[in-house]
Amino acid sequence: MVDRNGWGRDRPVLTGSPHSPPSSFVEQANVTDPGIYETFEEQWPECWERAADLLSWDRPYETVLEDDDAPFYRWFSDGSLNASANCLDRHLEAGRKTHTAIRWEGKHGERETYTYRDLYVAVNEFAAALRDLGVEEDDVVTIYLPMIPELPIAMLACARIGAPHSVVFAGLSADALATRMDAADSEFLLTCDGYYRRGDAFNQKSKADNAQLKLDQDVRTVVVDRLGDDLPHVLGDDEHDYHDLLETFGGETVDPVPRDAEDMLFLMYTSGTTGEPKGVVHTTGGYLAHAAWTTHAVLDVKPEDTYWCAADIGWITGHSYIVYGPLALGTTTVMYEGTPDYPDRDRLWEIVDRNAVDIFYTAPTAVRAFMKWGAKYPERHDLSSLRLLGTVGEPISPRPWQWYYEHIGDERCPVVDTWWQTETGAVTISTLPGIDEMKPGAAGPGLPGTDARIVDDDGIEVDPGESGYLTLARPWPGMARTLYDGDERFRTEYWDRFSDPDDDEWRYFSGDAARVDEDGYITVLGRVDDVINVAGRRLSTTEIESAVTDVGGVAEAAVVGRSSETNGTDVCVYVSTESGYDDDGAVREAIVDSIEASIGAIARPTTVLFTPELPKTRSGKIMRRLLEDVANGEELGDTSALRNPEIIGEIQAEIHDR
Ligand code: WT7
């Protein structure tokens, strides 16, 4: 039923042969009792106290879950706490002030180490500076920074004074930044002069400046000088230098503001099914508890570990698993500014080796690249410090899974394939590495205390082996509470489709298709909405289409995902032009430029195909699913509903050799 449409291009056809967790791992794992699934079942929702117990509360909570206003659930709602105090102060109080909190590896081999004390000092100073700039509790502070230590410092400084942060990935365009600042009514911005990408200096400040031209509100801006003389910049009115501020507020401390568990910790914009990005709201108590719990139970992190999540803090993965989860547990978190292949393709393994990294967590797209480059790169280094490997962000097929397991983990490290989303806040589906068998190609069962169900169009659970929609039938602490743009959109995007409010039956719809096997292991097949996953990054095809149709001469456009060996999915654009314009290169270039300007280089298409018409139904609807099948060389179903079936053959012939 769902498969007919070809959902999920990277779907593993079969799962590979299972592996038991290595006994050397099990002996030391944080969670080893197989009874945990049953216990959580019997004690639901109180089972989630285990997560909350990993945190320090200013005011203890008494209610675990309030569900009388579903789907607006409230977790630990009568408790209060501060996220920055949980990530910093309590570790100092426990005598761990000289322990390394952040190990930063810069683009050009620079290294910086922040102990918990160093991080505490910087966070306090910047919190004092933010206050002085006028930031008050509940003001949204936008952070537009690459992977430099000032990024987590600023996030924790915001958390300290109760100002929600909205981190915008540094690679997004000026337009994308403006849209997000506007939607959040944000009057404070932290950015930098620029950053290095491969050998080049990129100007970030000019993007931030351009974004501000589009905003109605006055914005106070803080600029980190990352590039020094490599990219001189001037500060205008209402612009402040980050390091000057730290100097001015040197040695100051700011008492962490107690926040209600349900108070917003941050906002994270993500792509939805319409062109408008969604502002996903995460809270202080439930989110932090869930992030810390999964860092402990799924990633098996211990305070003495050196732990590395090679993602970007500009996305949810970095929020939960570079910043909040690991720092809440008091471990050493590695932060890497560069790319895996610069200066050479062994860069990541050199960092693992030199820092004796215990746990490594990355995206399948990176694993596919490692596999393509070959085993000789990891073989140059001693990777014996590794204890556990993880993947996140897209499906991983059995072959790259097996390669990762053998060549990086030496068959000694469990691999966790973790499924979750910006909206779930933290991992929701994964094996528990000290308990469960691993099946390459399947993420695993829902975590203890969750209830993942694969259902058909009517919301009825499908049989094992059949594909359906991935839903969650129970709330969980890290879940998004609402969308910043409104409760109504939250309900329609996630809950309306499979819930039955009359029966008080609530089902969260993930937007993914999946199937489950006899053992309850879930294989996620991919999105069923207008979202595509390019190299683990979530993009809206509608948003890209609107950038394409903005270009002069473009009559109509359809954007679909095209499967790609390294990126999982690439952006594929079909366009028809107005008469007088044709595939003259100039239009093509303008299309690519427009996409980069409205979203960023991450949405750059690999295929732009010009066609006299797009295939349409008799009622005039563009058949995007069919175009997706064509792009992927899939067999086409019935095309008789088309008004112009002849166009399909032409497009097929064209796209074949691109
Ligand atoms: C979408 C969410 C989770 C943080 C990074 C992405 C896909 C995520 C897996 C996985 C198959 C996965 C889904 C999901 N996805 N993890 N282990 N196996 N697909 O967060 O940007 O909100 O994207 O990523 O399609 O819906 P995101």
Coordinates of all heavy atoms in Angstrom, one line a residue, residues 64 163 168 170 188 212 259 275 296 422 434 458 565 574 603:
V64 N 4.2 13.5 37.1 CA 5.1 13.1 36.0 C 4.4 13.6 34.7 O 5.1 14.3 33.9 CB 5.3 11.6 36.0 CG1 6.0 11.2 34.7 CG2 6.1 11.2 37.2
A163 N 16.2 32.8 28.6 CA 15.8 33.3 27.2 C 16.0 32.2 26.2 O 17.0 31.6 26.0 CB 16.8 34.4 26.9
V168 N 20.1 29.0 14.2 CA 19.9 28.9 12.8 C 21.2 28.4 12.2 O 22.3 29.0 12.4 CB 19.5 30.2 12.1 CG1 19.4 30.1 10.6 CG2 18.2 30.7 12.8
A170 N 24.4 27.7 10.3 CA 25.2 28.8 9.7 C 25.2 28.8 8.2 O 25.4 29.8 7.6 CB 26.7 28.7 10.3
F188 N 17.4 39.9 19.1 CA 18.8 39.7 19.5 C 19.4 38.6 18.6 O 18.8 37.6 18.3 CB 18.9 39.3 20.9 CG 18.3 40.2 21.9 CD1 16.9 40.1 22.2 CD2 19.0 41.3 22.3 CE1 16.3 41.0 23.1 CE2 18.4 42.3 23.2 CZ 17.0 42.1 23.6
Q212 N 19.0 41.4 8.2 CA 18.4 42.4 9.0 C 17.7 43.5 8.1 O 16.8 44.1 8.6 CB 19.5 43.1 9.8 CG 19.9 42.1 10.9 CD 20.8 42.7 12.0 OE1 20.6 43.8 12.3 NE2 21.7 42.0 12.5
R259 N 13.5 27.8 36.1 CA 12.5 27.7 35.1 C 11.5 26.6 35.4 O 11.9 25.5 35.8 CB 13.1 27.5 33.7 CG 14.1 28.5 33.3 CD 13.4 29.7 32.7 NE 13.0 29.5 31.3 CZ 12.2 30.3 30.6 NH1 11.7 31.4 31.2 NH2 11.9 30.0 29.4
G275 N 5.8 25.7 2.6 CA 7.0 26.4 2.4 C 7.5 27.1 3.7 O 8.6 27.4 3.9
H296 N 22.6 8.6 28.1 CA 23.0 7.5 29.1 C 22.6 6.1 28.6 O 23.4 5.2 28.6 CB 22.3 7.9 30.4 CG 22.4 6.8 31.5 ND1 23.4 6.7 32.3 CD2 21.5 5.9 31.8 CE1 23.2 5.7 33.1 NE2 22.0 5.2 32.9
T422 N 13.4 16.3 14.9 CA 13.4 17.6 15.6 C 12.3 17.6 16.6 O 12.5 18.1 17.7 CB 13.3 18.7 14.6 OG1 14.3 18.6 13.6 CG2 13.4 20.1 15.2
G434 N 23.3 -2.4 25.4 CA 23.8 -3.5 26.3 C 22.8 -4.6 26.5 O 23.0 -5.5 27.2
D458 N -6.2 3.8 7.7 CA -7.3 3.9 8.7 C -6.7 3.9 10.2 O -7.5 3.9 11.1 CB -8.3 2.8 8.6 CG -8.9 2.8 7.2 OD1 -9.1 3.9 6.6 OD2 -9.0 1.7 6.6
E565 N 24.1 7.8 -4.2 CA 24.9 6.9 -3.4 C 25.4 7.5 -2.1 O 25.4 6.9 -1.1 CB 26.0 6.4 -4.3 CG 26.5 5.1 -3.9 CD 27.7 4.7 -4.8 OE1 27.6 4.9 -6.1 OE2 28.8 4.4 -4.2
Y574 N 12.5 19.6 -11.8 CA 11.9 19.6 -13.2 C 11.4 21.0 -13.4 O 10.6 21.5 -12.6 CB 10.8 18.6 -13.3 CG 11.1 17.2 -13.1 CD1 11.1 16.6 -11.9 CD2 11.5 16.4 -14.2 CE1 11.4 15.2 -11.7 CE2 11.8 15.1 -14.1 CZ 11.8 14.5 -12.8 OH 12.0 13.2 -12.7
A603 N 20.8 23.0 -0.3 CA 19.6 22.6 -1.1 C 19.9 22.7 -2.6 O 19.1 22.5 -3.4 CB 18.4 23.5 -0.8

